[in-house]
Amino acid sequence: MRESATCDLRPVTCLHLGAAYYPEHWPEERWPEDIRLMREAGLTVARLAEFAWSTLEPAEGDFHLDWLDRAISALASASIATVLGTPTAAPPAWLVEQHPDLLAVDESGRHVQFGNRCHYCVNSPQFHAATRRIVGAMVERFGSNPHVIGWQLDNEYNRVCYCDRCRSLFQRYLAEKFGSLDALNAHWTTRYWSQTYSAWEQIPIPIGLHNPGLMLEFKRFVTESYRQFQRLQLDVLRPHLRPLLLVGGAGGGVWVTHNFMGWFDGFDHYALTEDLDLASWDWYVGTGHHDYLSSGAAHDLTRGFKRRNFWLMETQPGSVNWSAINNMLNKGEARAMAWQAVAHGADAVLYWQWRSALGGQEQYHGTLVDPSGQPRPFYEEAQQLGRDFAAVSSLLANSAVVSEVALLNSYDSRWAIQWQRHHRDFDYVAHFNHYYRPLAARNIAADVISADTPLDNYKLVIAPALLMLNESRAARLRDFVARGGHLVLTIRCGMKDDYNALLPSRQPGPLVDLAGVEIVEYYALLDPVPVAGEWFTGTSRLWAERLRVLDETGTQVIARYGESNGWLNGHPAVTVHPHGQGRVVFVGAYLDEVSQQSLLDRITSAAGVQPVMETPVGVEARRRVTAAGEEVFIAINHERAEQLMRLPWPAREHLSGQSVGEELRLAPYGVAVLTRLA
Ligand code: GLA
Ligand code: ZN
C-alpha cells in the first residue's frame, strides 16, 4: 500500500489521484468502508462539500461542520488529503425562500427554478452576504487544517443573469468604462438603426444577436461580475490559509482554484484565473470517444491560464449521465486519458464521483462504487492508475511541460467571430485545433496562451483567427518576429478593434508591413476551392482570403488558388515574408487536413522546432522536465490495438520498473513512463 505522507502538504508538486466524495449522502457508519476502498484504489485526495450548503448550514447561521471535520480526519487517517469546495453553486431552499430575488433571471425574464445548480444572480447582495457567511464559517474551522490542501470556489461558473439589478450594474460598468455616452455611441456606431443612447438607463442587456460592441461589453461585464464574486470569496478565505511561498505552490501553502470547463466561452478565463493560485478543469467526453489530437489542446489551454501545471478536477469514471448516448469508454481508455492529462501538465486526476447517490439528478452517472457500495468494474482501472501514480509520483515531482511553440487564444476574437461566423460551419475552436492537431500528430509540444502574454522563449507563435488586433498585441508580435521568431497569421486576422468595430484598414490591420501582404477580400465558400504550391496540392474549405503581395521582392508565394469562383483564380493563398531576424507566414486558406499537415511540417522545421519523439500514428509522446533538468517521457497508446515503437535510446520504464531496449511494445491503451538510460 502506498504511503503518501510526503504528498499531503505539497499538492502541486505531487501526482494525486482522487474522487469527488459526498459523505453527507451516506450514514457515517459507511465512511470507513468507502475510505478503505479509496485507499485500496490508491486515492490520495478527495474533494468534499462543493454542494453541501444545506447540510453545512441548514438554517441561517446554524452551522453543522462537525461531520465535515470527522470526514476530513477519517480520510487523513488513510493518508487521503482533502480539497474543500465552497458550496455556493447550490444555494439552499431556506436562503432562496428568504431572498427570492437572489434567483437569477433568464433571457425571457423569468426567475430560474430552485433545485438545480447555479441558480443565483452573481451580483445579488443577499447572495454575497450569505456566501461570506458560509465561506467564513468553513474557513474559520478548516483554514488551518493540515489535511485541507486546497480550496475550490463554487463549481463551473456558467450562469448569465438578466435581472434588473444586473442591467443597472451593466449600465454603471459602461459609464465607468466609456466616460461619456458620446464615446460609447461613437465606438458602437449607434447611429446605425437609430440605436443612439441619450441616457445610460436606455442600454439593454443583449438578448440574442445585438450591436457587436454591446455584445462584447456584456461578455466583459459577465467576466467582471464573476471576478468580483470570486474576489469576495478569496477575501474571506485568504487571511486564514497558509500562504503559498513559492510560485507553483511548492512552498507548501494552501491554494485556491476554480474548476473551469475547458473551451467553455462564457467569460474571459484569463481574467478569472489571474486571482487564483491554480487552474483546474473538468473533462468529460459524453457520447463516443475522445480525439487525443484535440483533447491535448484543452489541457494546454488550462495549463496556459496560469502558465504552469494544473489539476484535472473532474473526469468521467467511464461514462456520464447527461449525453445523448452515455456509452462507457473502452477498457483502458480512461487510464490513457488520465495519463494524457498528466503528460500535458496535470498534477492530479480526480474522478467524478466516488459512489452513485441513491437519489438526486445524477443517478446514472459513472462512479467507482455502485449504489450497492461495491466497486464497479471501472474501479479496477482506477486502481491501476493508483499503482501507476504511486510508482512515478516522486519522479514527476516538480516537473513541467516545456514548449517551443505557442498558440494564441483570445476570447474577444472568439466571441466576435462566433456572433458573426459568416459561414455557418466556421467555428473558432475547430479552426484553432486545425493548427494544434498537426503539431500534436508530430508530438510537438505547444503552449496555448492568451494573446496578451509575453512571447519570450518561443521559436514559433501561431495566432489562429486573431480577429482583434490592438496596438499592444501587434507590438508584441512585431517584437517577437524582429528578434527572430516565426509567426503564423491566419484567416480572420486583424479585422477588429477592442470595441468590436471593424478597423478602417485592410487585414491584417497593423501587421500588414510584417506580413508583406494585405487581404483584398474574404470569401465564405460553398464548395472547396483548389489551392496548390510547392508544399502541397489541396483545397480550401469554408473560407478563402485573397492576398495581395505588397513587398514584391521579399514575399514568397507558397500557394495560389486554382480555378474557382473567378475572384480567387490564380491569386496568392499562402505567403512567407521575412522580417527582422524572423519571418511571417500568412495562411489565407482553410486547408484540407493533409495539406495543413504538410504546411505545418514545413513551418515547424523552418522554425527549428523539435518533436518530443517519433511515434507510430495513434501513439502520443510528451515530456515533462524536472526542476533538476531530468527529462521524463510519457508515451500513450490511444488505440485499441497493440503498437510497437522505436525509442531513440535505451530507457527505463518506470511503471513496470523494467529496462527497455530500442523497441517498446505498448499494449492497447498502454502507457510508458520513460527516462533515458546513459
Ligand atoms: C459537472 C459537475 C459535477 C457533475 C458532473 C457530471 O462537471 O461539476 O458536479 O455534475 O458534471 O458529469
Ligand atoms: Zn442578476
Side-chain angles (χ1 to χ4, degrees):
M1 177 50 54
R2 167 181 188 194
E3 282 308 327
S4 60
T6 53
C7 247
D8 285 353
L9 295 177
R10 309 182 63 201
V12 187
T13 60
C14 277
L15 204 49
H16 274 293
L17 180 67
Y21 180 45
Y22 302 95
E24 69 274 25
H25 297 172
W26 305 102
E28 220 166 307
E29 305 82 76
R30 165 71 198 189
W31 297 357
E33 175 62 2
D34 278 328
I35 293 169
R36 184 187 68 79
L37 288 169
M38 285 181 196
R39 210 180 138 84
E40 276 175 22
L43 267 55
T44 55
V45 68
R47 189 178 56 138
L48 308 183
E50 93 270 28
F51 303 114
W53 199 335
S54 69
T55 312
L56 293 166
E57 191 188 8
E60 182 175 342
D62 177 19
F63 297 110
H64 291 233
L65 305 173
D66 293 348
W67 66 270
L68 187 51
D69 211 343
R70 291 195 296 277
I72 294 168
S73 299
L75 288 159
S77 63
S79 291
I80 298 171
T82 290
V83 170
L84 275 186
T86 66
T88 50
W94 60 261
L95 182 62
V96 174
E97 185 188 31
Q98 255 179 31
H99 305 291
D101 93 325
L102 69 69
L103 286 175
V105 169
D106 68 16
E107 285 187 333
S108 60
R110 294 201 321 199
H111 279 116
V112 304
Q113 200 187 18
F114 169 78
N116 287 302
R117 289 180 290 184
C118 300
H119 39 280
Y120 57 81
C121 162
V122 68
N123 289 309
S124 156
Q126 287 84 11
F127 180 54
H128 289 178
T131 293
R132 276 195 201 91
R133 196 169 58 222
I134 182 68
V135 176
M138 287 176 78
V139 77
E140 270 168 36
R141 180 72 175 260
F142 304 115
S144 58
N145 185 317
H147 307 296
V148 177
I149 59 174
W151 292 68
Q152 174 196 303
L153 305 181
D154 204 88
N155 183 76
E156 297 185 340
Y157 307 136
N158 65 80
R159 172 82 62 189
V160 176
C161 181
Y162 296 80
C163 77
D164 290 343
R165 174 179 45 235
C166 285
R167 181 175 169 190
S168 39
L169 288 170
F170 177 45
Q171 292 160 348
R172 196 187 305 163
Y173 159 91
L174 293 170
E176 272 167 30
K177 168 149 193 175
F178 287 90
S180 74
L181 282 167
D182 283 350
L184 178 145
N185 282 318
H187 281 301
W188 293 0
T189 318
T190 52
R191 285 177 202 276
Y192 207 83
W193 291 354
S194 275
Q195 296 166 57
T196 314
Y197 297 107
S198 54
W200 298 104
E201 294 70 32
Q202 294 162 357
I203 304 172
I205 288 181
I207 293 173
L209 288 180
H210 209 294
N211 181 302
L214 172 72
M215 292 179 79
L216 178 61
E217 289 310 332
F218 186 60
K219 280 285 193 192
R220 290 179 175 149
F221 169 75
V222 170
T223 302
E224 195 48 34
S225 299
Y226 275 103
R227 195 164 181 183
Q228 293 302 333
F229 175 56
Q230 192 172 256
R231 279 196 182 139
L232 174 160
Q233 298 209 28
L234 287 166
D235 289 347
V236 176
L237 287 175
R238 286 234 161 95
H240 297 272
L241 305 181
R242 294 185 299 282
L244 292 167
L245 302 177
L246 300 175
V247 174
V254 178
W255 44 260
V256 184
T257 191
H258 170 76
N259 54 336
F260 294 98
M261 295 187 279
W263 285 107
F264 176 69
D265 74 342
F267 41 77
D268 182 336
H269 290 52
Y270 297 107
L272 265 91
T273 47
E274 224 173 284
D275 301 326
L276 299 172
D277 306 307
L278 173 75
S280 67
W281 81 292
D282 298 345
W283 180 22
Y284 291 96
V285 175
T287 301
H289 300 275
H290 89 119
D291 160 38
Y292 84 95
L293 295 178
S294 304
S295 3
H299 294 305
D300 295 349
L301 170 79
T302 310
R303 193 181 69 245
F305 291 155
K306 299 295 298 177
R307 303 186 79 177
R308 57 176 180 255
N309 290 1
F310 63 95
W311 274 38
L312 186 60
M313 197 56 93
E314 295 182 13
T315 192
Q316 69 190 61
S319 68
V320 299
N321 69 317
W322 43 259
S323 202
I325 301 171
N326 298 306
N327 63 285
M328 179 60 87
L329 296 169
N330 292 329
K331 192 162 189 279
E333 190 177 1
R335 173 172 172 256
M337 285 167 62
W339 269 109
Q340 187 189 30
V342 173
H344 285 257
D347 282 332
V349 173
L350 281 80
Y351 286 105
W352 194 94
Q353 62 167 320
W354 172 251
R355 180 179 175 183
S356 325
L358 300 182
Q361 277 92 320
E362 299 177 294
Q363 290 163 311
Y364 293 112
H365 200 281
T367 55
L368 277 72
V369 169
D370 69 18
S372 77
Q374 298 173 78
R376 289 183 189 266
F378 183 83
Y379 175 92
E380 282 171 34
E381 192 162 320
Q383 201 163 31
Q384 169 71 52
L385 207 50
R387 286 192 294 271
D388 292 352
F389 282 14
V392 296
S393 185
S394 49
L395 180 69
L396 285 168
N398 283 313
S399 65
V401 175
V402 181
S403 316
E404 297 176 317
V405 183
L407 284 96
L408 304 186
N409 174 42
S410 124
Y411 287 96
D412 47 16
S413 299
R414 177 174 171 190
W415 295 325
I417 287 175
Q418 300 293 106
W419 294 324
Q420 299 184 68
R421 291 170 186 247
H422 209 63
H423 188 301
R424 180 190 59 193
D425 299 332
F426 193 98
D427 176 74
Y428 179 90
V429 177
H431 179 256
F432 195 96
N433 283 335
H434 186 54
Y435 283 84
Y436 182 90
R437 293 166 52 92
L439 303 174
R442 298 285 186 248
N443 298 314
I444 291 174
D447 289 344
V448 175
I449 56 172
S450 158
D452 300 305
T453 15
L455 302 172
D456 310 332
N457 306 324
Y458 294 113
K459 290 183 175 170
L460 171 65
V461 168
I462 304 175
L466 186 57
L467 188 84
M468 302 224 166
L469 203 48
N470 57 29
E471 207 24 69
S472 84
R473 286 179 183 174
R476 207 174 300 107
L477 293 171
R478 224 177 263 131
D479 184 51
F480 168 73
V481 178
R483 285 185 289 107
H486 288 222
L487 172 67
V488 178
L489 300 176
T490 79
I491 52 177
R492 308 193 83 155
C493 174
M495 297 181 86
K496 294 276 187 91
D497 71 9
D498 283 336
Y499 301 94
N500 207 3
L502 289 168
L503 293 172
S505 54
R506 282 185 168 168
Q507 287 171 256
L511 291 185
V512 160
D513 57 328
L514 211 65
V517 289
E518 66 176 10
I519 283 68
V520 292
E521 189 58 283
Y522 50 85
Y523 300 90
L525 301 177
L526 279 174
D527 301 307
V529 157
V531 187
E534 217 180 290
W535 296 356
F536 54 83
T537 301
T539 56
S540 185
R541 61 195 159 93
L542 310 184
W543 199 271
E545 293 184 358
R546 177 171 140 182
L547 315 188
R548 187 167 83 88
V549 172
L550 297 175
D551 175 4
E552 291 286 352
T553 47
T555 309
Q556 192 192 344
V557 175
I558 299 300
R560 290 179 186 273
Y561 296 107
E563 298 279 316
S564 51
N565 63 0
W567 303 107
L568 287 160
N569 301 9
H571 287 282
V574 180
T575 56
V576 177
H577 184 241
H579 182 92
Q581 306 292 304
R583 58 181 216 155
V584 181
V585 182
F586 197 101
V587 188
Y590 198 148
L591 294 172
D592 63 275
E593 280 175 28
V594 175
S595 305
Q596 182 76 352
Q597 186 71 58
S598 309
L599 176 72
L600 269 293
D601 287 347
R602 293 285 190 144
I603 291 172
T604 48
S605 102
V609 168
Q610 296 298 320
V612 167
M613 202 183 275
E614 279 181 29
T615 55
V617 174
V619 175
E620 177 177 17
R622 295 277 149 174
R623 184 181 59 140
R624 286 176 60 155
V625 183
T626 69
E630 184 170 18
E631 296 181 300
V632 182
F633 295 86
I634 299 170
I636 306 160
N637 179 8
H638 292 285
E639 302 280 320
R640 272 176 88 172
E642 182 183 274
Q643 301 246 31
L644 209 58
M645 71 180 264
R646 299 224 138 263
L647 294 177
W649 20 252
R652 170 156 300 273
E653 200 290 298
H654 294 265
L655 299 178
S656 61
Q658 311 266 305
S659 297
V660 277
E662 287 177 6
E663 201 173 73
L664 177 68
R665 199 172 283 277
L666 283 168
Y669 295 117
V671 178
V673 179
L674 305 158
T675 50
R676 198 174 167 153
L677 280 177

